[in-house]
Amino acid sequence: NAGVTQTPKFQVLKTGQSMTLQCAQDMNHEYMSWYRQDPGMGLRLIHYSVGAGITDQGEVPNGYNVSRSTTEDFPLRLLSAAPSQTSVYFCASSRDTGNTIYFGEGSWLTVV
Amino acid sequence: AQSVSQHNHHVILSEAASLELGCNYSYGGTVNLFWYVQYPGQHLQLLLKYFSGDPLVKGIKGFEAEFIKSKFSFNLRKPSVQWSDTAEYFCAVKTGGGNKLTFGTGTQLKVEL
């Protein structure tokens, strides 16, 4: 049981490049979400999903796309990276409402 | 929209001192409340959570929190901190369905020997 697995752990991108942050969970959780963590701002919700094929925007969705083709995977895509997207990204999952939310170990992204 | 305020951004304590970190939220309906801890370079770990029932919640590593509905507060406490408690602490609230959390800005705790 690996929990919530994020890859890559560290990435440096040039402005304008695209990339995908991967998130996978092996707990059969319906709910998954992506947060970004910036100094002095806590964690802010980017996108979330309540099941395969269902996604919605969070607080800071601009510049990011998501899809949920399977229960296990919830990739986060940066279409054209900008320096403002330099951050630490956390994926989270939970079984359903009222259950503990589990976080991945984070992905450190730097856009230069 | 809901919001979470953590009043202390940086706290420095000596070992064995008592800890209380403040957390206030703004939401009038049913809330689920959480405290997470993030050790340097690591991911968030759940310390404790409140969904319903006894407003005094006990978590891991000797931490506890009290939910006071009338004050919209969920303060974190520990009677005697250890050097290993040095970390960043986040209060979070979940409203409605899904696993959408609103986080406070965090409190950096440094425990000195």
Side-chain angles (χ1 to χ4, degrees):
Chain A
N1 186 337
V4 180
T5 303
Q6 290 182 232
T7 55
K9 187 154 186 174
F10 299 98
Q11 182 72 50
V12 179
L13 283 179
K14 293 183 179 178
T15 297
Q17 285 185 317
S18 63
M19 78 157 298
T20 300
L21 299 177
Q22 302 290 346
C23 176
Q25 50 88 11
D26 61 359
M27 298 173 282
N28 201 31
H29 286 172
E30 288 298 316
Y31 294 170
M32 296 185 74
S33 51
W34 277 101
Y35 293 84
R36 60 177 287 173
Q37 183 181 23
D38 301 293
M41 303 188 74
L43 280 80
R44 294 178 293 168
L45 181 66
I46 305 171
H47 285 285
Y48 66 97
S49 168
V50 298
I54 307 169
T55 64
D56 206 344
Q57 296 181 349
E59 181 184 354
V60 289
N62 292 341
Y64 307 96
N65 275 359
V66 291
S67 59
R68 185 95 181 269
S69 55
T70 67
T71 299
E72 295 78 19
D73 301 299
F74 191 45
L76 178 72
R77 297 183 185 85
L78 283 71
L79 302 177
S80 179
S84 60
Q85 294 178 302
T86 293
S87 188
V88 184
Y89 293 84
F90 289 96
C91 180
S93 75
S94 67
R95 187 148 50 89
D96 54 26
T97 298
N99 279 276
T100 297
I101 298 167
Y102 296 88
F103 284 84
E105 296 191 345
S107 295
W108 274 254
L109 176 65
T110 301
V111 183
V112 297
Chain B
Q2 61 273 17
S3 65
V4 178
S5 298
Q6 290 183 241
H7 319 298
N8 316 100
H9 298 294
H10 292 89
V11 173
I12 301 174
L13 294 174
S14 299
E15 267 205 329
S18 63
L19 170 73
E20 181 160 2
L21 300 182
C23 173
N24 286 90
Y25 64 93
S26 64
Y27 185 73
T30 301
V31 294
N32 299 149
L33 296 157
F34 305 82
W35 275 99
Y36 283 88
V37 61
Q38 186 178 32
Y39 299 102
Q42 296 189 25
H43 63 103
L44 281 81
Q45 300 175 38
L46 181 66
L47 274 179
L48 47 80
K49 61 184 178 182
Y50 174 79
F51 283 179
S52 63
D54 188 345
L56 184 60
V57 180
K58 294 192 182 300
I60 61 171
K61 305 186 182 191
F63 286 90
E64 65 179 29
E66 185 175 13
F67 170 53
I68 303 179
K69 189 174 181 179
S70 61
K71 294 185 178 181
F72 298 90
S73 70
F74 190 56
N75 293 353
L76 181 71
R77 299 194 292 248
K78 185 171 185 178
S80 176
V81 295
Q82 301 172 310
W83 178 80
S84 58
D85 293 325
T86 294
E88 190 162 18
Y89 293 80
F90 293 94
C91 181
V93 60
K94 184 171 76 158
T95 60
N99 60 1
K100 297 178 287 181
L101 294 176
T102 299
F103 283 85
T105 54
T107 297
Q108 288 274 7
L109 171 65
K110 181 179 180 182
V111 180
E112 296 178 331
L113 296 171

